[in-house]
Amino acid sequence: MRDNLITPIVLAGGKGTRLWPMSRSQRPKQFLALTGDLSLYQQTLKRLAEDDRYARPIVITNSEYRFIVAEQAFECGIELGEVLLEPVARNTAPAITAAVLVAGKDEPRLVHIVASDHDIDADGNYLNAIDTARAAAQAGRLVTFGITPREPATGFGYIEGGEKEPSGALAIRRFVEKPEEEAARAMIATGNFYWNSGMFLFATNVFLKECEKLAPEVFAAAQASIEKAVHDLDFVRLDPDEFAKATNISIDYAIFEKTDLASVVPSPIRWSDLGSWDAVWKAGGADAQGNIARGPVSLHGTSNSLVISEGVHVAVGAINDVTVVASEDAIYVGKLSEAQNVGTIVKTLLEDAKTARLAEEHRTVYRPWGGYSQLQKGDRFQVKRIFVKPGKKLSLQKHHHRSEHWVVVRGTADVTIDDKTVTITENQSVYIPQGSVHRMANPGKIQLEVIEVQTGSYLGEDDIVRIEDDFGRT
């Protein structure tokens, strides 16, 4: 091994919607602050950065999230290694294989595969599990972490442990798909079954040899996509044609359920995949009445409930076992004990063109330069609030179907319109005619906020012709 450090590989491309309406495909749960002040992705990076076992992390995500990945890492002072961009979703086996090829491109080393959206208490038991897994991986084993079950959960897969190995890990006897509750109780009673955490630790050369043998299509596609990858700013874009040839398969099915080298480390740690609103509630922080309340919330005679608001004040009275989640433009209300039904609601929203946007997009959209919130939309007009970070600027662009009025409400804007640039400050405005080449920049030290009024025959975001851009989006 090149050194004794473990290279973390952080999976950050998921588009889960089980925590709707806060989590949507445009900004999914890993980038949301669900259990504290930092997002789950940032908590993952901090956990890794504060442990001297680890080198800089490799992050694999998709093009849509590339700037969120970089910006949130910058916000918490974490320096990333490579950031790989998946061109298409192909489940975990191709993504992990590509990242492992990058991690081990010079010579073999240990890698730790972690999800970006799990809630983990990195206590002594966790650190002991890492050390056991490292010892097993150094002995040539492909290691997964098995969480000691706290309840007969039916939303997780299970792993049955076998003979104890010299490292302290257990050989894996079998994997069990998500069971019915009675079967889960029976497995837990044996004391030899563990929740499948989706975390792995192994040496790059051992994994790649097994992958080439057991999942040759995955290996070949990942390798070719790396060989033909293109560097774009601080990102590495995997070749789309080659990566698309990979089988759509998880690392469990492709490798771990087939190999003779799989081991599991029993891990008696506090862990949650936060896969539903009841999991967020179980993650802790409830008051004496069993409630978790975040944001502008008032509770009266309510118990064992989760109430979260991102803006509007929510008052809940005299009910129990309830989930209320209010985002900027949608509210979910349901029984906390039946939180798994959120997925069904999202599918229903997607089936109707009038509501599909609610399942995928937020009212506030983040961009590498800042972002915007849609305030109102009608026939031939739209009103937005645009916010631009200090020192950042939008792309140089034009629109074929709309004109725009910008009113500065906070800060200073340098506005380019065709061959002229003007500086406007608070309470000043500027008009951008349809078809004019224009750009907005924030030269100041505080965030720039602008109210934009669009008018025209078509107001879609795809009516943007980018001529020049600091973020490679032309």
Side-chain angles (χ1 to χ4, degrees):
M1 300 294 172
R2 185 168 59 188
D3 53 45
N4 201 37
L5 293 179
I6 302 168
T7 297
I9 294 175
V10 181
L11 308 179
K15 295 189 175 184
T17 56
R18 288 183 293 170
L19 296 184
W20 186 86
M22 286 181 64
S23 177
R24 308 184 194 183
S25 58
Q26 185 190 75
R27 192 176 180 88
K29 68 171 181 173
Q30 61 263 34
F31 303 119
L32 303 177
L34 294 172
T35 61
D37 295 330
L38 298 177
S39 72
L40 298 175
Y41 167 68
Q42 289 175 316
Q43 290 181 36
T44 300
L45 295 182
K46 293 280 282 187
R47 184 172 67 248
L48 296 167
E50 292 169 357
D51 191 330
D52 59 11
R53 294 168 176 79
Y54 293 107
R56 289 187 300 169
I58 294 173
V59 178
I60 184 157
T61 186
N62 58 61
S63 293
E64 187 177 351
Y65 305 150
R66 66 194 189 279
F67 296 115
I68 302 178
V69 160
E71 186 66 25
Q72 289 201 351
F74 176 79
E75 286 173 358
C76 58
I78 305 298
E79 186 175 357
L80 302 178
E82 301 279 16
V83 177
L84 308 183
L85 303 182
E86 289 179 282
V88 291
R90 282 294 182 268
N91 215 314
T92 56
I96 289 172
T97 303
V100 171
L101 283 163
V102 170
K105 63 181 180 295
D106 296 325
E107 60 182 284
R109 66 181 310 149
L110 298 182
V111 293
H112 185 187
I113 315 300
V114 298
S116 60
D117 58 356
H118 290 180
D119 181 44
I120 295 174
D121 184 6
D123 59 6
N125 289 330
Y126 173 81
L127 299 178
N128 289 338
I130 297 297
D131 288 337
T132 300
R134 176 162 60 180
Q138 288 172 333
R141 304 296 291 179
L142 302 178
V143 184
T144 185
F145 294 79
I147 308 300
T148 303
R150 301 184 299 272
E151 59 183 342
T154 59
F156 304 137
Y158 286 70
I159 300 171
E160 183 179 10
E163 296 297 319
K164 191 170 185 177
E165 300 168 350
S167 64
L170 306 178
I172 293 177
R173 284 184 181 157
R174 61 175 173 139
F175 289 81
V176 179
E177 293 290 337
K178 297 175 182 178
E180 298 294 332
E181 184 173 341
E182 185 176 348
R185 289 186 184 280
M187 288 190 293
I188 291 175
T190 69
N192 208 33
F193 283 84
Y194 307 91
W195 289 341
N196 188 349
S197 69
M199 294 189 295
F200 309 93
L201 202 155
F202 44 72
T204 55
N205 58 325
V206 176
F207 173 82
L208 293 173
K209 184 177 179 179
E210 286 296 279
C211 183
E212 189 172 15
K213 178 176 70 175
L214 301 174
E217 302 89 351
V218 169
F219 179 85
Q223 187 175 51
S225 72
I226 291 292
E227 290 173 352
K228 297 181 181 180
V230 175
H231 284 263
D232 178 2
L233 299 176
D234 295 328
F235 313 108
V236 178
R237 291 183 181 274
L238 303 180
D239 184 81
D241 295 333
E242 297 296 344
F243 195 80
K245 296 176 183 177
T247 308
N248 190 346
I249 190 171
S250 72
I251 190 174
D252 297 276
Y253 287 144
I255 309 296
F256 274 78
E257 294 191 15
K258 298 177 181 178
T259 182
D260 295 325
L261 302 179
S263 302
V264 59
V265 173
S267 307
I269 64 176
R270 187 183 68 78
W271 167 92
S272 174
D273 71 344
L274 297 179
S276 57
W277 284 119
D278 60 326
V280 174
W281 178 77
K282 290 175 183 176
D287 62 19
Q289 288 72 45
N291 297 318
I292 293 179
R294 299 194 183 116
V297 168
S298 299
L299 304 182
H300 306 277
T302 297
S303 62
N304 300 321
S305 295
L306 174 70
V307 184
I308 299 175
S309 176
E310 293 186 300
V312 64
H313 195 100
V314 174
V316 179
I319 53 177
N320 307 314
D321 182 36
V322 67
T323 303
V324 181
V325 180
S327 69
E328 291 180 297
D329 57 352
I331 300 174
Y332 166 73
V333 180
K335 286 187 176 181
L336 183 62
S337 56
E338 297 181 7
Q340 297 292 339
N341 292 337
V342 173
T344 302
I345 292 173
V346 173
K347 288 180 181 178
T348 302
L349 292 172
L350 287 169
E351 291 170 357
D352 188 338
K354 295 180 181 178
T355 57
R357 184 195 64 80
L358 290 173
E360 298 179 320
E361 301 176 6
H362 290 275
R363 177 172 287 178
T364 297
V365 177
Y366 293 89
R367 293 287 186 255
W369 44 261
Y372 62 85
S373 301
Q374 185 186 85
L375 303 180
Q376 190 172 2
K377 187 174 183 178
D379 184 26
R380 296 182 61 87
F381 80 91
Q382 182 170 216
V383 182
K384 290 183 176 181
R385 167 185 167 264
I386 299 175
F387 50 97
V388 185
K389 300 172 186 176
K392 300 294 184 180
K393 56 186 175 183
L394 284 66
S395 61
L396 186 67
Q397 58 185 252
K398 65 179 180 179
H399 311 294
H400 291 304
H401 302 289
R402 71 176 186 247
S403 59
E404 296 171 340
H405 298 257
W406 291 343
V407 181
V408 175
V409 295
R410 184 173 185 262
T412 301
D414 283 344
V415 179
T416 298
I417 304 174
D418 293 326
D419 58 351
K420 295 181 180 179
T421 298
V422 297
T423 299
I424 58 175
T425 57
E426 294 178 13
N427 297 319
Q428 293 182 324
S429 64
V430 67
Y431 170 66
I432 297 93
Q434 180 178 315
S436 292
V437 175
H438 60 281
R439 168 178 254 167
M440 183 193 308
N442 180 1
K445 302 295 184 182
I446 64 173
Q447 180 167 280
L448 167 66
E449 296 187 23
V450 173
I451 298 300
E452 175 184 80
V453 180
Q454 302 175 359
T455 58
S457 59
Y458 180 75
L459 306 174
E461 282 300 300
D462 52 350
D463 182 25
I464 298 178
V465 179
R466 289 190 175 93
I467 300 163
E468 182 183 308
D469 185 57
D470 288 353
F471 308 103
R473 299 174 299 162
T474 53

